[in-house]
């Protein structure tokens, strides 16, 4: 089972490979705001746990397991952003809030949030009603 830190690395590596076709230690370090030596240590751990294959000085490749987990983590992040947007959380807070909660929710909770987002997507008036209620509560 991946730790929250491992999840952050897998999510970043997956996104970099998806966007650029590769993930370098320096890109991962910059994206996560950590030292390259920390990235190297984590990459070695992820290699040991079969999330990726790492060859020193040659780069890394996600395994099927790493791709599956990475995609799931990216999807979870996007879902939580959609959820917070849907319920009217300020754009300024969304990224920070997602980073704060994403590792602390069960996959059961994620599935329920996914159903709720879909519920609001199917009838946009529901979301509008929710935002009106939020505004009323803020004003009282």
């Amino acid at each position: 089972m991946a730790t929250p830190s491992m999840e952050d690395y897998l999510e970043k590596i997956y996104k970099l490979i998806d966007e650029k076709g590769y993930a370098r230690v320096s890109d991962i370090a910059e994206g996560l705001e950590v030292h390259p030596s920390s990235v190297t240590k984590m990459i070695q751990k992820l290699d040991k746990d079969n999330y990726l294959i790492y060859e020193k000085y040659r780069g890394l490749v996600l395994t099927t397991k790493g791709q599956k987990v990475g995609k799931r983590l990216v999807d979870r992040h996007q879902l939580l952003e959609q959820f917070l947007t849907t319920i009217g959380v300020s754009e300024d807070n969304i990224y920070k809030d997602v980073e704060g909660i994403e590792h602390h929710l069960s996959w059961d909770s994620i599935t329920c949030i996914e159903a709720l987002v879909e519920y609001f997507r199917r009838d946009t008036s529901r979301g509008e009603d929710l935002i009106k209620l939020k505004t009323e509560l803020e004003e009282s």
Side-chain angles (χ1 to χ4, degrees):
M1 183 56 77
T3 65
S5 181
M6 291 167 75
E7 288 183 348
D8 285 339
Y9 279 85
L10 285 168
E11 183 179 356
K12 177 56 68 182
I13 292 166
Y14 182 88
K15 286 173 72 173
L16 283 167
I17 291 173
D18 187 51
E19 293 165 6
K20 299 170 82 170
Y22 60 90
R24 297 182 311 194
V25 168
S26 59
D27 295 328
I28 299 165
E30 182 181 326
L32 294 176
E33 299 178 352
V34 297
H35 289 88
S37 60
S38 299
V39 174
T40 300
K41 286 178 189 171
M42 181 58 80
I43 285 174
Q44 290 168 343
K45 181 168 180 41
L46 292 169
D47 183 18
K48 181 177 169 276
D49 291 348
N50 299 313
Y51 289 102
L52 55 82
I53 298 167
Y54 173 65
E55 291 183 35
K56 196 172 183 178
Y57 308 117
R58 304 223 33 194
L60 60 93
V61 177
L62 288 171
T63 62
T64 301
K65 175 182 175 182
Q67 290 173 352
K68 182 179 175 184
V69 172
K71 180 172 181 359
R72 191 172 189 199
L73 296 171
V74 168
D75 290 348
R76 174 183 72 184
H77 190 100
Q78 291 171 343
L79 172 67
L80 292 172
E81 285 183 354
Q82 286 178 320
F83 173 65
L84 294 179
T85 300
T86 299
I87 63 173
V89 173
S90 166
E91 187 80 26
D92 296 339
N93 294 326
I94 290 176
Y95 182 80
K96 178 182 55 132
D97 287 353
V98 169
E99 288 297 311
I101 65 174
E102 67 183 339
H103 301 296
H104 303 285
L105 294 172
S106 67
W107 287 105
D108 180 46
S109 293
I110 296 295
T111 301
C112 291
I113 290 170
E114 185 175 27
L116 187 59
V117 168
E118 181 62 19
Y119 173 81
F120 284 112
R121 188 194 65 75
R122 289 184 183 185
D123 183 349
T124 56
S125 68
R126 295 172 183 149
E128 293 164 5
D129 289 345
L130 180 65
I131 300 304
K132 285 178 193 171
L133 179 58
K134 177 187 178 253
T135 302
E136 289 173 16
L137 292 171
E138 288 173 339
E139 291 173 355
S140 60

